[in-house]
Amino acid sequence: MTPELHAQIARGQIGAAIVFKRNLRVEAVAGPVPQEVTDTAALIELNRALHAAAPADLPLLIAVDQEGGVVQRVRAPATQWPPMLAHDNHPPDADRALARDVGAALGRELAALGFDIDFAPVLDVHTNPANPIIGDRAFGRTAATVTRRALACAEGLAEAGMLACGKHFPGHGDTVTDSHLALPRIEHDLARLEAVELAPFAAAAAAGVPMLMTAHVVFAAFDASVPATLSPAVITGLLRQRLGYRGVIVSDDLDMKAIADHFGVGDAAVRAIRAGCDVLLLCRDPAHQAEARAALIAAGERDSEVRRRLGEAAARVRAMASAHAQRRAAAPPPGLDAVGALAHRRLADRLAGRVA
């Protein structure tokens, strides 16, 4: 943690932080099965220091992307989970309970390491084999299987004291472009979107999943001009008003090329807040973070609607953080022995189909 970041957290200017693999001490270990090993003691100290920097009345939330498969920032000794599409190995009468158990085990390990938010589960439906970014990160190939399994995983995360965040609204499963690299576009009509892409998110909204993350994807049926993250029609009109979602809406990383190559970061930050996002992710460039903050302050000073949205977003995030802190105080996280526990590793083997 840099001195500048510490000062911003202490002043209450940052309400959440995200930890990536690049922030961790990871060592490649040779052997019959080479693996990467995370220094968990250093990780716990990092998260402790981040939490300790925050004012008592503004608890900091620490997030991580720990989905399973190719997206799990914390390596061994934490349990290494197979991709969530491995639920296809299990029958419908067993996959939901398995997904809940996986979410609970994953959540216990992250809570033990000092995390508050897991940016999971993926709610995208894997309908396009050529999709370069979702693929086996998805929980299934149909809206029904994704809904059943992903929401069960979210229940397990909540049981373990973690805040789940479903992603990527309104759906990234049928793109042929990676939004990290370019701006995808989906031309499906409304009937198709409601039956497939939107169905898991509608269920997540009804179930009260605490956070949802937006997609940097243009959905022509809703707004043909800008990606969902920046679209009032998609974020406020569709997610808030039509689907009735009341939780916290998080933008995907505004440093991704789908945004950065088409919109200035400052403009994108203001557009995302206007659209209805509550939290903006800027995960790589401190200069972009400063640019976005300055743009939001300037917009708020001259525009009462932006001020209203900023106040609404801050209140929603603070309420979630306060409720989470109270739950953690009432039910403290498990000890470090939860990380890579034998029962969790056996569960990962069962999910992968390596054992019955």
Side-chain angles (χ1 to χ4, degrees), residues 28-117:
V29 177
V33 181
Q35 63 178 337
E36 294 179 311
V37 176
T38 299
D39 184 338
T40 53
L43 170 55
I44 290 169
E45 175 54 28
L46 171 63
N47 285 346
R48 185 208 63 77
L50 286 167
H51 280 133
D57 60 337
L58 291 173
L60 183 79
L61 296 170
I62 305 176
V64 68
D65 290 296
Q66 194 81 351
E67 300 173 10
V70 297
V71 181
Q72 36 195 338
R73 311 306 186 199
V74 185
R75 312 303 294 180
T79 301
Q80 298 304 285
W81 299 95
M84 292 299 108
L85 196 61
H87 283 87
D88 273 0
N89 297 326
H90 302 271
D93 60 348
D95 63 354
R96 189 187 188 285
L98 178 61
R100 184 183 176 103
D101 289 345
V102 168
L106 176 55
R108 283 193 292 271
E109 296 198 21
L110 293 179
L113 292 167
F115 289 105
D116 305 287
I117 299 168

Side-chain angles (χ1 to χ4, degrees), residues 28-344:
V29 177
V33 181
Q35 63 178 337
E36 294 179 311
V37 176
T38 299
D39 184 338
T40 53
L43 170 55
I44 290 169
E45 175 54 28
L46 171 63
N47 285 346
R48 185 208 63 77
L50 286 167
H51 280 133
D57 60 337
L58 291 173
L60 183 79
L61 296 170
I62 305 176
V64 68
D65 290 296
Q66 194 81 351
E67 300 173 10
V70 297
V71 181
Q72 36 195 338
R73 311 306 186 199
V74 185
R75 312 303 294 180
T79 301
Q80 298 304 285
W81 299 95
M84 292 299 108
L85 196 61
H87 283 87
D88 273 0
N89 297 326
H90 302 271
D93 60 348
D95 63 354
R96 189 187 188 285
L98 178 61
R100 184 183 176 103
D101 289 345
V102 168
L106 176 55
R108 283 193 292 271
E109 296 198 21
L110 293 179
L113 292 167
F115 289 105
D116 305 287
I117 299 168
D118 188 9
F119 283 138
V122 170
L123 293 172
D124 306 310
V125 183
H126 180 38
T127 56
N128 188 342
N131 190 314
I133 189 60
I134 301 301
D136 64 7
R137 295 167 63 191
F139 277 80
R141 294 175 170 86
T142 68
T145 54
V146 169
T147 299
R148 184 173 66 248
R149 298 164 181 173
L151 292 193
C153 181
E155 290 174 10
L157 286 166
E159 176 186 300
M162 293 293 296
L163 293 167
C165 180
K167 58 191 185 185
H168 308 80
F169 181 81
H172 209 319
D174 197 30
T175 63
V176 293
T177 305
D178 179 354
S179 53
H180 291 83
L181 306 176
L183 178 58
R185 187 179 182 92
I186 288 180
E187 301 286 350
H188 294 313
D189 62 21
L190 182 59
R192 152 64 194 243
L193 293 172
E194 288 181 335
V196 181
E197 279 77 10
L198 290 180
F201 293 96
V209 172
M211 307 177 75
L212 292 177
M213 182 184 290
T214 67
H216 299 330
V217 177
V218 174
F219 287 80
F222 302 123
D223 188 332
S225 59
V226 294
T229 301
L230 309 184
S231 171
V234 174
I235 304 306
T236 296
L238 177 60
L239 183 53
R240 285 285 186 218
Q241 296 173 356
R242 185 170 171 186
L243 299 186
Y245 185 60
R246 294 293 175 262
V248 170
I249 300 174
V250 186
S251 81
D252 207 343
D253 187 0
L254 298 182
D255 276 328
M256 290 163 58
K257 290 188 176 181
I259 298 295
D261 284 0
H262 299 269
F263 309 89
V265 169
D267 181 44
V270 174
R271 284 175 176 244
I273 290 294
R274 284 185 183 276
C277 292
D278 302 308
V279 174
L280 306 182
L281 292 185
L282 283 152
C283 300
R284 287 195 173 273
D285 191 336
H288 283 175
Q289 295 168 9
E291 180 183 345
R293 182 187 303 279
L296 288 168
I297 291 172
E301 287 175 343
R302 66 175 180 266
D303 188 324
S304 61
E305 175 58 19
V306 174
R307 284 199 303 277
R308 184 194 69 78
R309 275 291 304 125
L310 288 169
E312 178 182 69
R316 190 174 282 123
V317 173
R318 286 173 178 171
M320 182 181 70
S322 176
H324 175 70
Q326 291 174 21
R327 288 192 297 270
R328 277 282 172 92
L336 193 55
D337 57 350
V339 178
L342 177 60
H344 298 173

